[in-house]
């Protein structure tokens, strides 16, 4: 498994974020999500070293995953604020 470079402010949140990632992208598991997105995009992502992967292709994979997660987190925050106002 590759090392994670992003550091969470709350490391205990990792499991929840991984679960949300898999659910949003309808993936079989959080670990498989990036490979499934890459396959959908026609990007040759392999396990291990992907040093030959173009930056543009890596961005297509990460952008799709991160973008959906950010949208979902915003939706949940808005929903919580609406509930708090009631």
């Amino acid at each position: 498994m590759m090392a994670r470079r992003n550091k969470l402010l709350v490391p205990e949140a990792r499991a929840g974020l991984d679960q949300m990632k898999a659910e949003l992208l309808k993936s079989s598991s959080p670990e498989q999500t990036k490979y499934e997105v890459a396959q959908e995009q026609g990007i040759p992502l392999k396990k291990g070293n992907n040093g030959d992967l173009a930056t543009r292709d890596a961005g297509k994979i990460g952008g799709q995953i991160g973008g959906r997660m950010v949208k979902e987190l915003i939706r949940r925050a808005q929903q919580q604020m609406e509930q708090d106002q009631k």
Side-chain angles (χ1 to χ4, degrees):
M1 179 176 275
M2 293 178 64
R4 293 182 189 243
R5 293 187 180 148
N6 295 335
K7 303 246 187 224
L8 293 176
L9 292 176
V10 182
E12 296 82 8
R14 173 67 64 196
L17 288 170
D18 283 346
Q19 180 182 358
M20 182 177 66
K21 177 181 7 176
E23 289 172 6
L24 288 174
L25 294 154
K26 296 174 180 49
S27 178
S28 57
S29 73
E31 297 82 26
Q32 285 297 109
T33 303
K34 64 182 173 184
Y35 300 105
E36 292 172 8
V37 169
Q39 185 177 21
E40 289 172 9
Q41 297 287 324
I43 299 169
L45 184 68
K46 57 188 178 286
K47 295 190 190 247
N49 185 350
N50 283 285
D52 58 338
L53 188 66
T55 303
R56 179 182 301 258
D57 289 338
K60 286 180 184 177
I61 297 167
Q64 195 172 102
I65 295 169
R68 289 186 191 180
M69 290 179 69
V70 168
K71 286 178 186 175
E72 177 63 15
L73 289 170
I74 291 170
R75 186 194 67 74
R76 290 181 185 190
Q78 288 173 331
Q79 185 179 39
Q80 184 64 45
M81 289 189 317
E82 289 172 4
Q83 289 176 357
D84 291 348
Q85 290 178 351
K86 292 181 182 180

